[in-house]
Amino acid sequence: QVDLAESGGGSVQSGGSLTLSCSVSLTTLYSFRSYTLGWFRQAPGKEREAVAGIDDFDSTTYLDSVKGRFTISRDNDKKTLYLQMTILKPEDAGMYICAARRFNVDRPGLLQGSTYQYWGHGTQVTVST
């Protein structure tokens, strides 16, 4: 069993910053270190999109529109995933959801949402002009 709980969302003005956290609880034989983790977001009326991913070697991938502004990181001792968001824009608003997937020998892309098995409930981010 893998449970994910996001926190840190809120309302900020355009140009502001937020840091999201995702606490992961595991009741499996597999270590937190072995999981690939990702952040996804969904705005009202839009499809879910992948924002950033980090694998078991700490390699990262980002959605083009957030490169240079967002940073994904993980603390394996605390079993926590982070997303530092800076220079926020109104188009960054949405429900931010963290996700996890077990090790996959095929190593699919980090932004492929269909490859993630475990999902949190999300934390809301609002960006005003």
Side-chain angles (χ1 to χ4, degrees), residues 4 6 20 22 38-42 48-49 51-52 81 94-99 118-123:
L4 303 97
E6 304 90 340
L20 307 183
C22 174
W39 283 102
F40 297 77
R41 68 186 180 193
Q42 187 163 22
R48 185 187 67 199
E49 63 178 352
V51 176
L81 174 70
M95 182 70 76
Y96 280 70
I97 307 160
C98 62
Y118 308 101
W119 296 83
H121 295 290
T123 185

Side-chain angles (χ1 to χ4, degrees), residues 27-44:
T27 54
T28 74
L29 296 176
Y30 306 104
S31 69
F32 176 79
R33 193 68 175 92
S34 69
Y35 285 82
T36 288
L37 307 167
W39 283 102
F40 297 77
R41 68 186 180 193
Q42 187 163 22

Side-chain angles (χ1 to χ4, degrees), residues 26-103:
L26 299 173
T27 54
T28 74
L29 296 176
Y30 306 104
S31 69
F32 176 79
R33 193 68 175 92
S34 69
Y35 285 82
T36 288
L37 307 167
W39 283 102
F40 297 77
R41 68 186 180 193
Q42 187 163 22
K46 295 186 177 181
E47 291 189 357
R48 185 187 67 199
E49 63 178 352
V51 176
I54 184 167
D55 68 12
D56 50 335
F57 290 102
D58 289 339
S59 295
T60 59
T61 302
Y62 296 92
L63 178 69
D64 284 346
S65 63
V66 308
K67 285 179 181 177
R69 300 189 297 121
F70 289 13
T71 302
I72 188 171
S73 61
R74 62 193 295 166
D75 185 325
N76 293 321
D77 291 333
K78 295 182 178 179
K79 295 186 178 61
T80 302
L81 174 70
Y82 301 98
L83 185 67
Q84 294 176 282
M85 305 186 294
T86 64
I87 318 175
L88 281 160
K89 305 175 181 180
E91 53 264 41
D92 293 320
M95 182 70 76
Y96 280 70
I97 307 160
C98 62
R101 75 182 189 210
R102 281 280 346 279
F103 171 77

Side-chain angles (χ1 to χ4, degrees), residues 1-2 9 12 14 17 33 44 71 88 90 99 104 107 111 117 126:
Q1 182 70 22
V2 179
V12 295
S14 183
S17 301
R33 193 68 175 92
T71 302
L88 281 160
N104 186 326
R107 304 196 75 82
L111 301 185
Q117 297 96 14
T126 304

